[in-house]
Amino acid sequence: MPRTRSTAPSAAPPAPPAAPPAAAPGPVRLGPDARAAFRPAAVDITAGFWHTRQETNARVSVPQGPGLLESAGNLHNLRLAAGTAEGAFRGAYPFVDTDVYKWLEAASWQLAQHRPDDAELAAEVERIVALVAAAQQPDGYLNTWFQLVKGGERYQDLRWGHELYCAGHLLQAGVAHHRATGRTGLLDTARRFADHIGSVFGPPGSGRPVDGIDGHPEVETALVELYRETGERRYLELAAYFVDRHGHGLLGHEAYCQDRVPLREAVNVEGHAVRQLYLLAGATDLATETGDAELRTATERLWHAMTATKTHLTGGLGAHHDREDFGDPYELPNERAYCETCAAIASVQWSWRMALLTGEARYSDLVERTLYNGFLAGVSLDGERWLYVNPLQVRDGHTDPGGDQSARRTRWFRCACCPPNAMRLLAGLGHYFASGDEQGLQIHQFTSGRYAAGPLAVRAETGYPWHGTVALTVEDTPSGRPWTLALRIPQWCRAFRVGCGESAYDQDDAPVTDGWLRLTREWAPGDRVVLDLALEPRLTAADPRVDAVRGCVAVERGPLVYCLEQADHPGGGLDDLVLDPTRPLTVEHRPELLGGVTTVVAAGRRRRPADRGWWPYGTAPDAGPGSAAAPGDGEGDGDSVELTAVPYHAWANREDGAMRVWLPLS
Amino acid sequence: MPRTRSTAPSAAPPAPPAAPPAAAPGPVRLGPDARAAFRPAAVDITAGFWHTRQETNARVSVPQGPGLLESAGNLHNLRLAAGTAEGAFRGAYPFVDTDVYKWLEAASWQLAQHRPDDAELAAEVERIVALVAAAQQPDGYLNTWFQLVKGGERYQDLRWGHELYCAGHLLQAGVAHHRATGRTGLLDTARRFADHIGSVFGPPGSGRPVDGIDGHPEVETALVELYRETGERRYLELAAYFVDRHGHGLLGHEAYCQDRVPLREAVNVEGHAVRQLYLLAGATDLATETGDAELRTATERLWHAMTATKTHLTGGLGAHHDREDFGDPYELPNERAYCETCAAIASVQWSWRMALLTGEARYSDLVERTLYNGFLAGVSLDGERWLYVNPLQVRDGHTDPGGDQSARRTRWFRCACCPPNAMRLLAGLGHYFASGDEQGLQIHQFTSGRYAAGPLAVRAETGYPWHGTVALTVEDTPSGRPWTLALRIPQWCRAFRVGCGESAYDQDDAPVTDGWLRLTREWAPGDRVVLDLALEPRLTAADPRVDAVRGCVAVERGPLVYCLEQADHPGGGLDDLVLDPTRPLTVEHRPELLGGVTTVVAAGRRRRPADRGWWPYGTAPDAGPGSAAAPGDGEGDGDSVELTAVPYHAWANREDGAMRVWLPLS
């Protein structure tokens, strides 16, 4: 029950607005016949947490891109392929072109939304667009590795060659560049390659010479987007062909390559995490555009299986360093969590498509968790360094392998897939934050800024995620017609209040269904809605089948997962620290720390391990479970220690050292 | 205090026997100047547990070797190199020759000890010895990969080429063949290669062209053994050169290649597990022969660091699939334990050398644990199939990768290092079981059989490890001179009795020092000693820093680690089973099961997990540690289940399915 007198929201569906909200110039633009619950809306992020990250991306990361692509050889390779330079191919992988394409996509979104007047960036983009075009072969084919190293031997090594993967990123860059600038140069290059692929690949009996799929999916989602941008259904049909040819043994039924079983029959995600997630993004695009109910059911089934059994607390995905694979259900190691930054990005891309398709809030719950934790940990606070893998623990005495899999941030990687991928996500981030439908506007992610869907616009002010208040003011609204402002109540949220005009609700009486708080009325410009999400810090435990964290808890606050870092705990390592769950957690906002973070302090102690000699295993006490895991434990409670937890996304921005997300209780 | 009247053993050191015990014809034969506490003795294993395994090795595994080496192409490659066949090199690795060498070593030990009259095996050995000799180049070089695939380009890729690694296995095979048969054919081939290496490799200023080390250690321990067999000190000096050139950046300071830091400075084992262990075996050999105290200290330090922080309960070593590496201290995952069978073998080889060098029982404690668990799990009961990796858990819903890293046993591997390595260990196993010194005979491992060191011989009867009684009868003894019969009291043993003539002791009063029960007297033929080790099953817990097994126990009995297998637990998977540590464990010997094993049955229950929806993490109750790991736990205790544990070494000999060593308590 509303706690103040008020007009309760109408139960009847409101009349539709005159026109559906216009599609936003972002990475996902649905086609006219799409069967989606929501359509993406445009969000300008104008201040606060994500604005700071976008500014760093715009001022530091993206501008450094061309220099890094030059020094790593990517641009040199394009010149070689164009015949305008001499020398040898540089780089260790057949997919180095994609670093260029992802950077072009990042720069395009940035030109569109953040730096429309950045002439220098625009010139860099056009310069590189021209390099790409010059490297393209007359029939549309483009892959510098195969042109330069493999003597033009095309499509002979679909398992490892990444030719269609590279094409996919080119297509996405071409679409982005066109949407952002209105220019057709890169889109034309992309279409020529797509048309070439369409002339080569097809099912048996199609008359086309190759019946095959790429070992690294990506072209599927890109082809759907190319269809959306051009209206050419042949791209959609080609995407459908590729999606459905996975799982039929064209690549030896390897799970790694997403070829063990068709998606429509799969019961859980498997194989290489990024490959699986890009394929699922493409399948979701396809189901959205075609209304293919079986495919939609499969994507829903796989998302739920993945999230319930193969997702780390941070939203990170991929349990194995070896082959960058998903592990078994509930196999979620901490120190060897792979959680590639690209997998987090792919997860956001897929979950956003699921949110649009189904209208269900849980998909954006996972997007939020992943953005604030598993993804953002991959980007340094200064925007200059990156993590490829995102473990949940770095042990005392960790021997760092260096290279791509280091727990120390790196300026660029041998396999540099993650940095430009992070750049493109950050540059277009507002496009994952809101949607519209016939009934109104849905706010999926909270930021200070302006949310707009067609004729509807709302301005928001918030200090989220440090503060839980989101103040919304209606700016644009059609007059005389009710519509629904839907706010996602995060899955982690146990208590909130919302005030809307003269009405006020809390978690017990607010009109929340399946994660959406829906406020329906005739709105007038200036109408205010104030949402207050309680941000009490909390201790989180895992399903008991997650063996890796038995007897442990994690500290969370709002959407943020916290961790301990060595830098805050001098006088010993982290692996002997124990958290006391009976003592209160305290919160302090520290503007001087890590660019300004809210810390959570817990009471704990430092275990004083007995000298167990040379063998670390011993007789278990037959007492209760708490003591049994510690032979020789109980030899002393150890010193009290204040445990200072910082947001996981901010770790590894100080000196090297241990880190833990999950903290033992004994 | 002895419990019966008796002559207590003399405290004064006994007079030495006339001559030191003769060296046995086994894989380690110390040189005349060796500074070792013990010298290896000869043990004939005549019945019981290991006899059965040796028989299977002799009747099934070893005889199948030549056929497998033929079908995998190894012998074909030798013929190609000899110019007696045509075709292409077969096999995926530059070290395929070692499969042949290890098989020759296995067959040699077998000819020496188990099948001296096996003319067919002897003929096979000579046939293959001749193939090897024919493939050797005139200057002594021999490596079919480099001869056939790399155009004879030698020593250009020491990091990956494995040329010296292959040489090492050839040297070991040559020594074994000579010791076993007295024939010099293979030893001559080996010496020619060793001399060639000696003419090429040397420190700067030595006048030899290459200052380098091999990316895969092995040649070091082999060169020391070649010195022992030939008496030529130059082989010892070459071994010393290679041992000490590791860690100086000749291979880019890579830990994987054992080049990050010199052994003398290292504080813990690191990098590729088998590489590290073979290098340490060589360093121990070197310290033994030279008396190099600094090197000995380093090996002791590294053994203790490894055992205390990087050893799985099974004795398995290597925490990472990726690069087959050791992990960080206390990083001991279950489902992703690598625990390569070859690493277990290398650990036995190294620890045995440490036992001889130092005389300390703990080294043979680890040998016992590794033999019965981490090593033996790699060999199927029927001797026909193998495991390359030996995890401590296979999850419900495990997606098997197939290939070398499968949890299903395989007849041969693409990288077939483990099967012939296991064959050679089993064929020469008795040589790891006993030693002698000036004071008498030391029994390190228990078996039915005959232990002999020089003029001393003892016969043993035992049903170990199923039964704890070992009955020993003195057979050969010099008259009129006391000597010491030393029995290792296993580290796991909490209670025992020993009767010796009219004396009887138990764990409280027996003359045990540092793991050795020493019985010193003037022995007469027919004197009896009966040792009774209590084999109560027990629950074992780990150091609390082993995060992977917090809140869990393992079942052990005697030297055996136990596990649950799916086959014994129909009606559900294993990952929801919980052990009740307050209920007694019961033991049953089941001759019909897995070739005859003693099972341990524990009381438990099957957790009934609540439906937690799509997100497997939730609010932790702020109760004690036992409950905190289970959000939504306590929703029902679940059904009682009898947990039937079988020896870990016998797992994966029935249908595929889940397996667990560590069992949660809640």
Side-chain angles (χ1 to χ4, degrees), chain A residues 328 395 398 541-542 547 618 628-629 631 660, chain B residues 311 328 398 541-542 547 618 628-629 631 660:
Chain A
D328 289 329
R395 286 185 174 274
H398 173 63
D547 291 289
R660 286 190 81 110
Chain B
T311 304
D328 289 328
H398 174 63
D547 292 289
R660 286 190 82 110

Side-chain angles (χ1 to χ4, degrees), chain A residues 350-430:
Chain A
W350 179 34
S351 290
W352 175 238
R353 285 161 172 79
M354 293 298 294
L356 296 174
L357 174 60
T358 66
E360 291 172 20
R362 65 189 66 179
Y363 298 105
S364 289
D365 282 325
L366 186 63
V367 167
E368 175 177 64
R369 178 169 290 274
T370 306
L371 284 178
Y372 278 107
N373 303 288
F375 160 66
L376 195 56
V379 186
S380 70
L381 289 171
D382 64 10
E384 292 199 333
R385 292 166 306 136
W386 314 86
L387 288 176
Y388 190 115
V389 301
N390 295 281
L392 278 72
Q393 177 180 15
V394 176
R395 286 185 174 274
D396 298 340
H398 173 63
T399 305
D400 200 274
D404 290 5
Q405 300 182 349
S406 174
R408 294 164 191 161
R409 297 183 183 277
T410 305
R411 279 213 74 192
W412 207 243
F413 302 109
R414 228 168 96 88
C415 172
C417 50
C418 299
N421 214 357
M423 292 177 205
R424 68 176 181 147
L425 182 64
L426 282 168
L429 191 66

